[in-house]
Amino acid sequence: MRRMLPLLLLLCLLAPRALSEAAPSMAPVPTLEPLPAAPVRVLISAAGDCTLGGEVKSGIEKRFTRCAEKNGPDYFFANVQNLFVEDDFTLVNLEGPLTTATKYASKTYVMRGDPAYASILSGASVDVVNLANNHTRDFGDVGYRDTLSALESAGVAASGNDILYIAEKQGYRIGFIGFERWHHSAADAIAGVKAARSQCDLLIVSVHWGEEYDYTANTDQQKLGRALIDAGADLVLGTHPHVIQGVERYRDKYIVYSLGNFCFGGNTDPDDQDCYIFQQAFLLDASGASDGGIRIISCAVSSSASTNNYQPTPLTGDRAERLAGESHYPLHKMLALAIDGITSLSVKPIRMISFLGFFVSALSAIGVIWSILQYILHNTVSGWASTICIVCFVSGVQLLSLGVVGEYIGKIYTEVKHRPRYIIANRTPNFAKDETACTEPR
C-alpha cells in the first residue's frame, strides 16, 4: 500500500492536465445586445374654436356669463371631459382673451371672457391652448398678458404667437406651436416649424387660416399645410372658418383643415352646429414618430339642437349620421339660398325681364298686323283684337322699360360689389414679403 501511494499522487497531479487537453475548447459566451425599448404611445386630442365669454359690443358675452354663474365651470365640457381625461394632451384654440380690460381694438367683433374661465379648461383636462388667432389681442397687450396670467394660474399651457410649448412623456419631447395667417406669412410659419423641429421629438402645429363659413379648404391652406409637413410638422390642425373642413393625409401625416367651433360663446344660435374632435395616437421611438391611428368624433357645439347652450356634445343616432353626409339644411333655407344665388350675383334675372318685355311687344305688333288682315278679310270679332293687342303691347313696353332700368341698377350694384371687402390701413413687413398673406378678418 505504501508503494502505491506515490503512484496515486502522481496520477492525481497528471489527471487534470490530461483532461484539459482532451476536452474540447468552449467558444466565449456572446454578449446579448439590449432589446429596443417599446415605442411610447402619445394620444393627442384636438378641438376647435373656444370662446369662453362672447362678443362685447353686442352684449352676447353676458349670456355666457349668466350660464357660467348658473351652472359652474364644469358644466361646459361635461359631455366631452371623459375623452380628454383619457388622452395624454388635449389642445383647443382659445378664441378671445380672458381679461377684465375695457379698452378694445377697433374692429367689428370683439371677444372677451372673465379670467376665471381658465378653470373651465383646466377642469376639463385641457392641457394646451393655441393663442395664434385673430381675437387674442382684441383688448391689446393688456388683455393678452391677462390671458397668459390666467392660463398659468389654472395650469393650462399656452402656445402660438412665438410661444413654443414643450411637454415631456417618458423622455420624449412633445412640442406645440401655432400661427395665424394675418400676421404670420407662410415663410414665417415654415421657418418657425423648422426651428421648433430640432427641439422636439413630436411637433403639433396649429394654424388659424382659411375663409369663414367656407366648407372647402382653399389653395393657400393646402399649400401651406403641406409645406408645414415638409418642414417637420407631425400634425397640422386648422381653425377659423367656424365650420368643419376635410382632413388630408399627406406623406403619412395629417392636415386637419378646420375643426369648426367647439365651446363657442361668440354666437347664441349658429346655423351650423357641426364640429369634431380629432384624436391621433403617435408611437415614439429612437427613429422618430409614427402614426398609431386616428379617430374622428363627430360633435355638436351644443347639446340642444334649438340653441347654443355652450356644451359641446358627441353626436349619436340620426344627428351623427347626418354629419357623416346628409344635409342638415331644411327646405326653406335651401330655397332661400337658391333665390339669393339667382338674384344677387348678376343682372341676368333683370335681363330676362327685358327679353320678356321685348318678346311681348313684338308678339303684340304681330297681333296688330294679324288683326288688320282679319279685318280686311271680314273674319274679326268686333273690339276683341284691338283690345287684346293694345293691352299686350302696353304690357310689353312696361316690361321692357322695367328691364332696362333694372339692368342699369343691377350693373351699379355689380360694380359696387367689386370694391375690396376690407380697407387695409397699413401693411406690415410680413405682408410685403408674402403675396399669399390674408387680410385680417373682423
Side-chain angles (χ1 to χ4, degrees):
M1 186 66 183
R2 291 179 179 177
R3 292 179 180 178
M4 296 181 63
L5 185 58
L7 182 60
L8 291 173
L9 291 173
L10 181 60
L11 289 174
C12 290
L13 293 172
L14 295 176
R17 181 178 179 182
L19 289 173
S20 64
E21 291 177 353
S25 61
M26 299 293 292
V29 177
T31 303
L32 296 177
E33 294 292 332
L35 294 174
V40 174
R41 183 176 184 270
V42 176
L43 178 61
I44 304 291
S45 296
D49 297 333
C50 291
T51 299
L52 306 181
E55 209 283 314
V56 174
K57 294 191 290 184
S58 65
I60 290 178
E61 68 167 339
K62 296 178 181 178
R63 186 174 184 266
F64 188 95
T65 300
R66 290 193 296 269
C67 183
E69 291 174 347
K70 178 181 178 180
N71 300 293
D74 294 337
Y75 159 84
F76 297 96
F77 287 82
N79 295 335
V80 294
Q81 181 183 18
N82 61 315
L83 297 171
F84 296 162
V85 169
E86 294 173 355
D87 63 24
D88 293 295
F89 299 98
T90 301
L91 169 68
V92 302
N93 177 59
L94 183 58
E95 185 103 16
L98 302 178
T99 181
T100 57
T102 56
K103 186 177 181 180
Y104 50 78
S106 177
K107 55 192 305 187
T108 304
Y109 300 115
V110 178
M111 305 297 179
R112 180 180 60 185
D114 192 287
Y117 295 159
S119 63
I120 295 174
L121 301 170
S122 58
S125 192
V126 174
D127 304 285
V128 190
V129 298
N130 170 55
L131 296 180
N133 58 65
N134 57 298
H135 285 291
T136 294
R137 295 184 183 270
D138 279 2
F139 283 79
D141 292 339
V142 174
Y144 185 66
R145 289 193 298 267
D146 289 345
T147 304
L148 292 174
S149 178
L151 292 171
E152 183 179 6
S153 298
V156 178
S159 66
N161 289 334
D162 302 323
I163 300 175
L164 169 62
Y165 171 68
I166 298 179
E168 186 173 315
K169 181 177 180 181
Q170 298 184 30
Y172 290 99
R173 299 164 299 173
I174 299 94
F176 298 85
I177 195 170
F179 306 93
E180 47 96 356
R181 288 293 288 122
W182 301 280
H183 297 99
H184 295 120
S185 68
D188 291 335
I190 293 169
V193 168
K194 289 181 177 179
R197 176 76 264 179
S198 62
Q199 305 177 55
C200 307
D201 300 298
L202 175 67
L203 182 59
I204 312 299
V205 180
S206 299
V207 190
H208 211 62
W209 58 8
E211 296 291 333
E212 290 182 336
Y213 307 108
D214 193 337
Y215 292 87
T216 304
N218 60 33
T219 303
D220 175 73
Q221 290 171 269
Q222 295 174 14
K223 288 182 177 179
L224 179 57
R226 295 166 186 170
L228 294 177
I229 295 293
D230 292 337
D234 293 297
L235 173 63
V236 176
L237 300 167
T239 52
H240 176 64
H242 299 300
V243 293
I244 60 174
Q245 294 179 348
V247 178
E248 178 184 2
R249 184 178 174 89
Y250 172 74
R251 294 182 58 185
D252 295 328
K253 297 180 181 180
Y254 291 95
I255 305 169
V256 181
Y257 284 107
S258 178
L259 291 158
N261 294 325
F262 201 60
C263 183
F264 190 68
N267 193 327
T268 59
D269 187 19
D271 290 333
D272 191 341
Q273 291 195 4
D274 294 345
C275 60
Y276 58 88
I277 299 170
F278 183 87
Q279 289 188 326
Q280 183 173 8
F282 293 92
L283 302 178
L284 302 179
D285 56 24
S287 62
S290 59
D291 177 25
I294 68 169
R295 180 189 181 194
I296 297 176
I297 304 171
S298 301
C299 298
V301 300
S302 172
S303 62
S304 169
S306 60
T307 188
N308 183 7
N309 63 9
Y310 314 119
Q311 196 174 52
T313 302
L315 294 178
T316 57
D318 294 339
R319 294 185 75 187
E321 293 177 4
R322 191 262 310 139
L323 181 57
E326 297 182 14
S327 173
H328 66 288
Y329 280 96
L331 179 61
H332 73 277
K333 284 189 176 182
M334 295 299 293
L335 292 175
L337 179 64
I339 294 172
D340 183 67
I342 292 173
T343 59
S344 68
L345 299 181
S346 71
V347 297
K348 288 184 179 179
I350 302 297
R351 190 169 296 166
M352 291 172 61
I353 294 175
S354 301
F355 289 151
L356 178 62
F358 177 80
F359 175 77
V360 172
S361 300
L363 189 63
S364 300
I366 294 173
V368 170
I369 297 173
W370 175 81
S371 63
I372 292 173
L373 290 175
Q374 292 299 313
Y375 177 78
I376 295 174
L377 297 175
H378 304 288
N379 293 328
T380 61
V381 177
S382 179
W384 181 86
S386 58
T387 301
I388 293 300
C389 288
I390 291 173
V391 170
C392 290
F393 182 77
V394 171
S395 299
V397 171
Q398 288 179 333
L399 287 174
L400 181 61
S401 301
L402 179 63
V404 171
V405 174
E407 185 163 352
Y408 177 74
I409 296 173
K411 287 183 177 180
I412 295 175
Y413 170 73
T414 302
E415 291 300 320
V416 170
K417 286 180 64 179
H418 289 164
R419 295 180 304 172
R421 293 178 62 189
Y422 308 97
I423 298 174
I424 303 175
N426 51 54
R427 290 177 177 268
T428 65
N430 288 338
F431 279 96
K433 293 177 183 177
D434 184 10
E435 295 180 356
T436 64
C438 308
T439 307
E440 184 172 3
R442 300 170 290 175

